Amino acid sequence: MKNIQVYFKFEVNKVSFTPFRVPIVPQLKKNMILSMIEKGLRIDGRKPEDIRPIKIVTNYLDKAEGSAYVELGKTKVIAGVKMEVGEPFQDMPDLGVLTVHAEFVPLASPSFEPGPPDENAIELSRVIDRSFRELGAVELEKLVIIPGKKVWIVWVDLYIIDHDGNLLDASMLAALTALKLTKIPSYTIEGEDIIINKESAKTTLPLKEEAIYVHIAKIGSHFIVDPSLDEEVVADSRIAFSISRDGRIAGIQKMGQGGMSVDEIIKAMELAVTVAPKYFNAVDLVLNKEGNEG
Amino acid sequence: MKYGETPQLIKEDGTRLDGRKPEDPRPIHMEVGVLENADGSAYVSFGKTRVLAAVYGPREPIQKYMVLPDRAILRVRYHMAPFSTGERKSPAPSRREIELSKVIREALEPVVITELYPRTMIDLFIEVLQADGGTRTTGVTAASLALADAGIAMRDLVSGVAIGKVNGVLVVDIDEVEDMYGEADMPAAMATKLGLVTLLQLNGVLTKEEFVQAMEMAKKTLEKVSEMQRKTLLEKYSSVLQV
């Protein structure tokens, strides 16, 4: 039995409580992680600044307007983008809507329970949503069908199907890849009705900025990138930086218990900026291949 | 003003709409022991943002399975009153409140010496009475005062403030207008004596250089906020100390 963390539904989302069935890392393994990191090594053979191998499957789903399947080491995430016609927000009548949702489905981990998204799933989706939104990643002004009345709603649904740590970076990779592949269905306007022609030519979802997340854990005085679940549990403190293509910071979330000094946070930020191209390269590699074949 | 237009938030003389300089926080008010029933309580305001925090415990957990054999668990609820916002806020917990409850809990856990209270639960309830920007950081500030007021052992107090970027200028303690139209909102909380940042989020986009500067501004401000928290507690309890 590993990583047991049981959530009780009556408590979920009313209050946030200290996880009282924390994932368990055997003492021997914990000591191993701690002693190896002192020599700059990690238990899976990585260097501190290494990310795990990435596998991306593009257009993983047929019925979604954009989709991707991502493996980051043993963590597996599916992202599906659905385009729906809906009403704009009242205070933003001339903009489409982007919404990110995450489901920690119970088949992914012994610690996930069926039920509505808990605080961890809500945090993950909001952190990703914020980064895309603040960067203006999707050109929402181009998603207006009838100004003030009908706009495209872009639903990004993230499905965690196997949890081996660093759900954030994996989910962000999946979300970005899926958005880049998303096609807007063509439509005709007949009076107040929008008729969607699923079969005819589609246009690509307009993206003008891109970002990924780099999740960094501090173990002792050492920083490691892309922590596995065991490393997340052992870590003293964790922080994630969203980094844009041009190296700006488009979101931060300090996560878990513990804290870091200002100097440590700045060091972690520098590390995130240098690691970010590795994630972008993984996305570019698979999309370029896709482009050549298609 | 049309949507999409950014209003002038920094005036020509470099001051902000309410007359503050970029590095000035709003007027801060703190009180402890404001509620009768709670084991500890605090009221903190940063300008028009007003927050009440109360602590119950350490007490026996309602559900036995919630205990940890070696320490207390912390339960935190951040909640906004229906009348705290421009339009009435539904009292049901929103996704935002659920996330902030978690972030605030994680901001306080590093300082509470939970090992001293095994098999118990410490409840912390934060009610935002009026929201004008910086509610989570005001909430953290009030919460750590309430914990201290309850006599719960802590390694340090936690102080919070939000740094923002408006019209390209980094500013301390943003209010609602600056949050709404500004380019970035970076809430931060620190245990200043320990030198630990325990809460950090960024909603917006900053360059590396701006981020480093924003962190320095947060640290400088929080050292002052922490001093005020200590003073507030000392004023309340110095008579006890003299006996």
Side-chain angles (χ1 to χ4, degrees), chain A residues 26-96:
Chain A
Q27 194 65 37
L28 268 176
K29 200 173 195 179
K30 186 176 173 181
N31 291 344
M32 179 86 89
I33 293 173
L34 296 176
S35 64
M36 285 181 80
I37 199 68
E38 291 300 325
K39 298 175 197 138
L41 300 168
R42 294 164 74 174
I43 46 167
D44 53 8
R46 283 187 284 164
K47 292 201 209 67
E49 67 281 8
D50 285 349
I51 56 175
R52 289 172 289 181
I54 297 173
K55 180 182 163 191
I56 301 179
V57 180
T58 54
N59 300 317
Y60 184 69
L61 307 163
D62 297 319
K63 296 218 168 174
E65 275 72 59
S67 63
Y69 165 88
V70 169
E71 285 182 9
L72 179 58
K74 289 184 209 155
T75 291
K76 304 181 184 76
V77 180
I78 301 169
V81 179
K82 293 295 289 177
M83 301 287 293
E84 235 173 47
V85 176
E87 288 176 10
F89 286 119
Q90 278 187 348
D91 52 346
M92 290 180 270
D94 298 329
L95 291 179

Side-chain angles (χ1 to χ4, degrees), chain A residues 1 36 42-43 64-65 117 150 168 210 217 219 226 235 285:
Chain A
M1 287 296 282
M36 285 181 80
R42 294 164 74 174
I43 46 167
E65 275 72 59
K150 296 284 179 193
L168 180 55
E210 293 176 13
I219 300 180
D226 177 27
L285 200 69

Side-chain angles (χ1 to χ4, degrees), chain A residues 91-110:
Chain A
D91 52 346
M92 290 180 270
D94 298 329
L95 291 179
V97 178
L98 174 76
T99 308
V100 181
H101 264 265
E103 291 277 342
F104 289 11
V105 287
L107 59 74
S109 161

Side-chain angles (χ1 to χ4, degrees), chain A residues 8 10-11 13-21 91-92 95 100-101 119-120 122-123 125-126 130 134-135 239 241 247-262 265-266 269-270 273, chain B residues 3 63 65-68 71-77 93 95-96 98-99 101-103 105-107 109-110 125 183 186 190 195-208 211-212 215-216 219:
Chain A
F8 293 89
F10 83 93
E11 282 287 349
N13 299 349
K14 277 205 219 152
V15 283
S16 174
F17 49 84
T18 307
F20 46 84
R21 302 274 169 88
D91 52 346
M92 290 180 270
L95 291 179
V100 181
H101 264 265
E119 61 178 25
N120 299 297
I122 289 172
E123 179 185 40
S125 54
R126 282 179 55 85
R130 278 205 287 271
E134 292 295 329
L135 206 51
I239 192 164
F241 293 89
R248 284 174 298 156
I249 303 159
I252 303 175
Q253 188 86 344
K254 185 236 140 200
M255 294 173 291
Q257 301 176 26
M260 290 185 202
S261 73
V262 171
I265 284 175
I266 289 167
M269 181 271 291
E270 302 273 2
V273 172
Chain B
Y3 170 77
Q63 300 293 336
Y65 56 72
M66 290 183 78
V67 300
L68 285 173
R71 60 201 160 100
I73 68 158
L74 197 60
R75 289 205 315 168
V76 175
R77 186 175 88 144
R95 286 165 63 84
R96 177 178 172 277
I98 293 163
E99 185 202 341
S101 297
K102 176 178 191 279
V103 168
R105 172 175 60 74
E106 291 173 345
E109 274 170 344
F125 302 119
E183 296 103 87
M186 188 182 88
M190 272 187 87
L196 278 186
V197 178
T198 62
L199 182 157
L200 187 64
Q201 296 180 285
L202 171 64
N203 200 359
V205 184
L206 295 176
T207 64
K208 276 169 66 174
F211 171 66
V212 172
M215 286 304 295
E216 291 303 327
K219 190 179 171 189

